[in-house]
Amino acid sequence: MWDHEIKAMASSHAIIASSVFMATVLPAVFIQGFSVYGTHLLWLYSVTGAVSVVNIAVFWLLGISQPTKKNTLGYKLSRLVRSCMYLLLSCLFYHTVVVLYGAPLIESALETFSLAVLLTSLTTLRCLCVLGPNVQAWIRVFSRHGAMSVWDTSLQITVACSLIGAWLGAFPIPLDWDRPWQVWPVSCSLGSVVGYLTGLVVAPAWIHFHRKQLTYKSK
Amino acid sequence: MKRLPILCLLLWLCALFYVGIYLFVSGFLLVRLEVNRTSACDDVLQPGGRQRDFCGAKPRFKRTLLLIVDALKIDFARYDPANKTPRPYENKLPVLEETTSLRPTHSRLYPFRADPPTTTMQRIKGFTTGSLPTFIDVGNNFASSAILEDNIIHQFGQIGKRLVFMGDDTWESLFPKKFQRSLPFPSFNVKDLHTVDNGILQHLYSTMVGDDWDVLVAHFLGVDHCGHRFGPDHPAMGQKLTQMDGVIRAVMERLQNDTLLVVMGDHGMTDTGDHGGDSQKETDAALFLYSPTPLFPGPPSQSEPEVVPQTDLVPTLALLLGAPIPYSNVGQVLLPLFPEAQVQGAAAGLSQLEALWVNVKQVNRFLETYSSMARDIPPESLAALQAHFSRLSSAYLASSPASSPASSPASSPASRQELVESMQAYLTAVRETCRATWARFNPHKMAAGLVILALACLLCFMVSQASGALGAGGRGLLTVPVATAAAVAVAAAAGQAYTRGSVELTWCVAPAVLVSELVMLRGVRRWVGAKVEAKHWSGSAHLLLPPLLVAGLRCASLLSDSYVIAEGRVVTFLLLSLGLYVPVRLHWDGHLLPPPHDPQKPPAGLLPPPPPPALVRRESYVLLGCLGLLVGGAYLSLSFHACREEQGACTPSPFLSPLARMQDSRLKNLHYGLSLGALALWTHLLRRWLRHYGNLNASGGAVMAARWALPLAAVGLGLNWAVSGTPEGSFRNLAELIGAAQVALPRALYALLGLAAALLWADPLTVFLKTRGPAPGRGSRALATAAPPPLPRYRASTGISPHAELQHLIPQIYQRMRRSLEDSEQQLAADREVDTRPAVEAYGLGTVYSAPLLLLCGLLGLGLLLLHPEGMAVSFLLLLLEMAALLHIHASAISLAGLQGVHSGDFSVPWTPLVLWALASSQFFHATGHLPTFSSIQWGAAFVGFPGGHSGTLLPATLVALNTFSSHILFAVACPLLLFWPLVCEVRGGAGGGGGAAGQEEGEDAVMEMRLRENPQQFSSALLQLATRYLTVLGVQVLASVCAAAVLRRHLMVWKVFTPKLMFETCGFLVSSVFLLVGVGLVLRTDLAVGRWFRRLLHADASR
Ligand SMILES: [Zn+2]
Ligand SMILES: [Zn+2]
């Protein structure tokens, strides 16, 4: 049971990670002058898109998300609408937080919002895939005894890693090195993506090594 | 409660820090040795011993007029005809450009580069002695004392020149009794643009046409003051410069043929009109030379210097006027002013070669004298310079007319040119060597200071961890180290006296402190080992991690110049991160939300009953709301920052400029209204809090201060802003009244606030005692919780609501205290149940400790606000709100943990709120418009209430220090509030906080700060722990800054970024620690008063 789940997780994480690499490499083939620093926003959207699509596909195929009680079309539609709303709200939330942390308010609003979109796709989307549009459950998951399955634990780890990565990404900005990756928001988005990738690697490994200690309450 | 031991221990710890800081700073900031010899006319300066008395020879110029326009930046002096839309400071001095283009052999305009520090006194010292100032002199601007080194003014006097001076009175204090005639005008009132200049202009022309002077120094201050007051980019600057243009024209018309005119600025100014640092905008002044007789051999050529160092003026002037070059000069003569070859006739004066030789000889002599006195110039560079000099000497001898008395055909122009260049190279090398030497450090002192500081931090940390044990004992903790210190100091002094014959105090104090620190550390460690279990350590280490990480990042940020430059934002970033960490952590531990309703509950009895969800939810909302306040306040505070020179695209906050500077009257009114609103809110919030907790009912000194002094001071402050904000000359007939008000109002406010603080200290109790008649058939408890008592008489006056009254009366407390005291006195407690005696209600007893502290904070805040520009009122309000938010976050976190049954049981304040507290104090240092640079010091604070300037130096220095470190002061004084706040906001009905059994027994009653009174031992240990923890956090920051200065002392930015930061950090620590002691002292004072109060109460009760 454990091995099976961890294997599934590892392979799904591998797919997601490779999608990030593909999103970085593939556009360079098709688009002239594509680079992570030079056309940063393009890279950012390409990663966002790839991560979102692959996440949704993987979790839908694996059937991780909680089974819906009702199967009517209307119910599904309302879930979909709520999901989209949550995603939008999450983008706005991240935007606000990033601005409060000291990002310029008006000057590069597009860049800031793009970072918020990226963070949403790395964190909120995964919450949505694992837990469904249920904010209560999202809040519940992020406590010591809140995880109810290995997927919840991996969600904790990847979200924390992405956010810490983005936080650490802000550190080089004030330095006077004049490097292309110090431009807002390159270091932050790079940090969050690197953190996310780290989370993807760390989560199955951590769960594997701590499987003795991990006990989940039944739902 | 142990009052004296706590205070002594804290004082000792602070003293350790002070010694460490002193040692390091005295090894790091250097002092140049002044050579107290003077040059004389009969100095042998010619090779081969041939004496040339150049005082006797006829000099090139008989007279000189030194026109110093303070802060005349080179940008002001340049003229660009292509510029069609000049800024107010551009193209306002066309006379210079006209003269240099029309009469190129008569005049030149050079950029004139000053050496930092670019303060006026340093510069006058620099360009009269020809020497290089050292960094340590920066602070002396207030206390300009006479120059003892040889200088050009002295030399002019020696050769019989008649000196006349008019203008900036700094000169008068630098050169007392050197001038035949002196017309000094007060210089330090930066708001006054015209007094000095008009005073000079009244006398300048009449003096010029007269014939009773040889050297005339006129120092105009208007441009500098205009810069300080309005900045360069202001119409007033245009007017001032146009006036200067007229002055220069008028002076040039009256100039006679034997006179040299020097127009110069002593330094430049930044874009905000300040100076003091070493940015090019501050160092590059203008130098304009003119004479009615041809001064230069021809029009400007390629070989002319692009920039003239300020030191070069001294030798040039001396040789042109036939005076000896001052002894300590390290400048070199300005070659274009001297003819290339010896021209027949003595009137032409010295040739280039001769002038340079005299210069070289003088510099070499100074170098020899200095190196024999100070020995701080590295021997190898000294040897190289000596070799260079002897080569020059022989080369000059070979070429000089002395060796070949014929017409010196031997010296061809080429070889002469070579010699000139070699001499120039020598002079430049000497100057650079001196510059490098006078920026050298004393590594032993630095190392000793560093070690002492590091050990002091460690000691503070250990004491804070072990303070729980200190409550119990530890009497010998202090006596042994102090005794050791004294013994070691005496031994070191004796040893030094025996071996070297002299005693250096530094090297007695350093080993003494070091040894005593080690002894104390050993004592504390043994003590920790005895009293604190290992479990406690590991548990606290786990909790320690994130706040320590943030504190570590903060310290690491002090090691990088980029982060120091961006410090304001870095601190805010870290503050937000740690603030957000608090609820995240609480949630992770499952404390933030009410526990889920479990169907299969574990059997009751094993676990404590779950807290009511409503309570948990309320506390969580309080916590999140306060976090929102914190985040919002921190974000808004970013808009009050000033700008550093290094920050390229940055506009300083509009709130920083005083009202009087503002030109748009609507904006002015808006700012004034905003400031008034903030001021009113500040006062209202404080009073409201005090009233809410029933602290405004009594009639003691503290209450008087709160009731009358606080609002009165606020009103006075508002009035003062209105007076100081009126534009000059708007009410001509009221000018005198306004002037009087500008003096009287701030002084009255100082007096009022001082009086209030004294009252507060004399009588810090804010408890109102109300005796109520015995309630028949009811116990006191029933009385307290029953229906509202009959309306008391005082309600009308204080407006306290019945609800608040019920909530914050503490009737039980008195009963309990009496009972416990009676028990201890072995009396019968028989009447415990059948209480027929009158119940006593004590209003404000629950906040008896925090109320005076908060009040002191409010009073101090008003006083400090008085020293700031008006717009900072908003920032001060933000400071108060953020302080409240931090306190509430801390209190909610504690009570949430307490509600879930996880509580340490004592009153100890965890590291997270303390690190937040320290970060917030740095944050508001920046958010009150301060920066760790010397040019950003708000000197205007010294003139609040003293518009005419000062006679002493202590008062203005204190005022400026109070202004600079106001946020440090407020946060340090308010630090003990962190201990009280969880008790003030104690959740009633829950499992209570620290009191344990006592809290539960009383159930409904709010005991609040009386819990501390019940556990005097825990109280004292918690207070000690709080203070030492705060000292640790601050001390580690100082240590990091000291390390940065020590490690990066060869860094490019060391004088520009790290040294100022070090100075500000250490001064901030000094101020913080002093005011922390004040805060702790007030708490102890209150405790004393409360103890007396209880005793008196018992007495009265017993006698009844
Ligand atoms: Zn000046
Ligand atoms: Zn000035």
Side-chain angles (χ1 to χ4, degrees), chain B residues 686-701:
Chain B
L686 283 170
R687 272 181 57 101
R688 202 178 141 183
W689 187 91
L690 290 172
R691 182 184 299 163
H692 180 74
Y693 286 101
N695 290 99
L696 280 188
N697 295 320
S699 56

Side-chain angles (χ1 to χ4, degrees), chain B residues 70 120 224 228 267 275:
Chain B
D70 207 290
T120 298
D224 176 63
H228 286 299
H267 47 77
H275 55 88

